[in-house]
Amino acid sequence: MADLDTLAAFMVATMIFAYMPGPALLYATAQTIARGRKGGLMAAFGIHLGGYVHVIAAALGLGFLLSQVPTAYMVVKLAGAAYLVWLGFRMITQRVEEDASLDAAANPRRTFAQSVLVEVLNPKTALFFIAFLPQFVDPAAGLPAWLQFLILGTIVNVAFSSADLVAVSLAHRIVGRIKQSLRGQRIARWIGGSILAGLGLRLGLEGSGK
């Protein structure tokens, strides 16, 4: 591994990136607003699991393909953006009573699965890992480079997930009283769905730069 000074710089940079408002943090916040604390937690855990797909891809060098094949990058980006817009539209249009009547145990599982897919379909996460992690990988160290990628990537993923969990907690406290009424629940779903749809449109229309 890198020396202590480099690792300290890595930790500082990681925490700064983690707590800057980004797509994953906004997504977890939107799910919390619309579906409550449990929905937000499932979203955060789903994003966390999906993040490991990008960590492993970076360790194997697969993420590099996205940066070198513009068509592949664009296809993944547009698929992820369209999926976010669809989730937002469904969240807005689905009646609160209809959502509550569904199997209570199925809702968290569905949110978790959707969140994993959202993160996997975010090519910017892959590009971030392949741009950020190599700066702290030491080819001359005793550990092989791929293992250093996995260790550093796991640390980054955990740090980002800690920020998502903080966002879930804050969002839950802020909207808790609003959602006590049926009208408040409808407003919360509209806000959450709008955030998701807007996030999808933003990711789909913006350029490839981070």
Side-chain angles (χ1 to χ4, degrees):
M1 296 289 287
D3 57 63
L4 291 178
D5 289 341
T6 302
L7 289 177
F10 165 76
M11 292 302 300
V12 171
T14 295
M15 297 309 293
I16 291 174
F17 279 123
Y19 281 82
M20 289 175 59
L25 193 146
L26 291 175
Y27 175 83
T29 300
Q31 289 287 1
T32 305
I33 293 174
R35 302 190 184 281
R37 184 170 178 270
K38 182 178 288 186
L41 289 175
M42 289 298 101
F45 292 147
I47 292 171
H48 182 74
L49 183 61
Y52 286 116
V53 173
H54 295 293
V55 172
I56 294 172
L60 297 177
L62 298 179
F64 183 72
L65 292 176
L66 286 178
S67 65
Q68 299 300 310
V69 184
T71 301
Y73 174 88
M74 187 60 63
V75 168
V76 174
K77 185 181 80 165
L78 291 179
Y83 188 57
L84 276 173
V85 172
W86 178 79
L87 288 178
F89 177 77
R90 186 181 179 197
M91 187 177 288
I92 292 172
T93 57
Q94 191 173 37
R95 297 173 57 191
V96 175
E97 300 89 338
E98 179 184 351
D99 189 54
S101 66
L102 296 175
D103 181 9
N107 286 336
R109 289 198 298 266
R110 187 172 65 248
T111 301
F112 176 80
Q114 290 173 346
S115 303
V116 172
L117 185 57
V118 164
E119 182 65 3
V120 170
L121 290 177
N122 184 5
K124 282 183 169 289
T125 302
L127 295 185
F128 172 78
F129 278 119
I130 65 174
F132 181 65
L133 295 184
Q135 302 177 53
F136 305 97
V137 172
D138 184 3
L143 294 177
W146 66 267
L147 185 55
Q148 294 183 58
F149 266 101
L150 285 179
I151 294 173
L152 296 175
T154 298
I155 294 173
V156 170
N157 204 27
V158 170
F160 273 72
S161 292
S162 72
D164 294 340
L165 292 175
V166 170
V168 168
S169 178
L170 291 176
H172 174 66
R173 293 190 179 192
I174 292 173
V175 303
R177 294 185 178 181
I178 298 177
K179 295 185 66 176
Q180 290 180 356
S181 67
L182 185 60
R183 184 170 181 269
Q185 293 179 44
R186 289 171 178 162
I187 293 174
R189 290 179 68 86
W190 188 88
I191 295 173
S194 298
I195 293 174
L196 290 186
L199 182 60
L201 290 174
R202 174 193 161 193
L203 293 177
L205 295 176
E206 69 182 359
S208 60
K210 190 168 179 66

